Amino acid sequence: MSKALIVVDVQPTFCEGGELGVEGGNAVAERIADYVNAHRGEYAYIATTQDWHIEPGAHWSAEPDFVDTWPKHGAAGTPNAELHPAIKVLGIEHHFKKGQYSAAYSGFEGIEDNTDRIQTREEVDYAQSAGKTLSNALKTVGVSRVDVVGIAESHCVKDTALDARKLSFEVTVFEDLTVPVSEELGVAARKQMAAAGIALVESR
């Protein structure tokens, strides 16, 4: 097996009722959980990513433009920043936290952190310099293909998938296991991903 599954930002903060809730988020979380239960044996590596903002600077704003600045969300240590309950019970072993002290959209910007600690800037920087990254984890396992699912297709799913392509992985995004912030942004994201050579298909 040389295939990995990346479950991007399936957190209550991005589902209905969350600070940046996306319509359909809870349903996508349940579908992803069903998919993992049915297909986990096909994967050499499964990981989650999470927005885990501690002090992300201008990424949080009281007057957000919803392009580069956003309402407070994914606040480290809060229930809404934890994995969605449907994902939490799956027992996935590898968790990549991102955006602790800056904006971060791609899971490849994160560090592996399988705790719920509030890390210092120095700890986050050290983990980065020590190579505790998603890219290194996938290379260590010998992965060549990456399937990407999660929330939101128009933002963190897209950026994670595009970074995986830049790193020369063969990338698939399962259209039924992700949801965009809006259909308009979803269309734009799908065009960008398709142009980069990312396969956009339904899960089986």
Side-chain angles (χ1 to χ4, degrees):
M1 290 184 300
S2 62
K3 187 165 64 167
L5 177 68
I6 311 301
V7 180
V8 176
D9 294 9
V10 184
Q11 303 165 258
T13 199
F14 297 125
C15 295
E16 290 91 341
E19 296 90 343
L20 277 177
V22 177
E23 186 176 348
N26 284 314
V28 159
E30 297 290 346
R31 290 200 298 274
I32 291 171
D34 290 343
Y35 177 84
V36 172
N37 282 322
H39 296 278
R40 66 191 314 158
E42 301 172 15
Y43 291 96
Y45 191 89
I46 301 178
T48 68
T49 73
Q50 288 163 264
D51 261 13
W52 195 252
H53 296 313
I54 301 169
E55 294 177 8
H59 186 64
W60 280 348
S61 173
E63 298 180 358
D65 62 15
F66 294 93
V67 177
D68 299 309
T69 59
W70 306 87
K72 187 174 182 179
H73 65 279
T78 66
N80 276 2
E82 295 179 5
L83 292 172
H84 189 284
I87 305 302
K88 188 181 292 188
V89 299
L90 295 173
I92 294 170
E93 295 181 9
H94 303 285
H95 308 285
F96 290 82
K97 308 286 204 309
K98 59 187 175 70
Q100 291 90 332
Y101 293 98
S102 64
Y105 296 91
S106 168
F108 288 92
E109 297 177 80
I111 56 166
E112 184 163 7
D113 176 9
N114 300 314
T115 75
D116 285 330
R117 291 184 56 245
I118 307 299
Q119 294 194 339
T120 66
R121 290 177 188 268
E122 290 74 21
E123 287 174 315
V124 173
D125 289 345
Y126 177 79
Q128 284 278 4
S129 64
K132 293 181 67 175
T133 62
L134 181 54
S135 174
N136 283 342
L138 297 179
K139 290 174 183 174
T140 297
V141 181
V143 162
S144 60
R145 300 168 57 196
V146 174
D147 293 343
V148 183
V149 301
I151 306 171
E153 181 183 31
S154 48
H155 292 77
C156 295
V157 167
K158 177 194 74 175
D159 282 20
T160 300
L162 289 173
D163 273 358
R165 276 299 298 144
K166 290 173 187 173
L167 292 163
S168 300
F169 293 106
E170 182 181 329
V171 183
T172 298
V173 171
F174 291 129
E175 284 293 283
D176 56 321
L177 301 182
T178 187
V179 62
V181 168
S182 69
E183 185 52 35
E184 180 183 7
L185 290 174
V187 168
R190 290 189 287 275
K191 286 181 180 177
Q192 191 176 352
M193 289 189 287
I198 294 166
L200 304 171
V201 302
E202 299 287 303
S203 65
R204 65 229 174 275

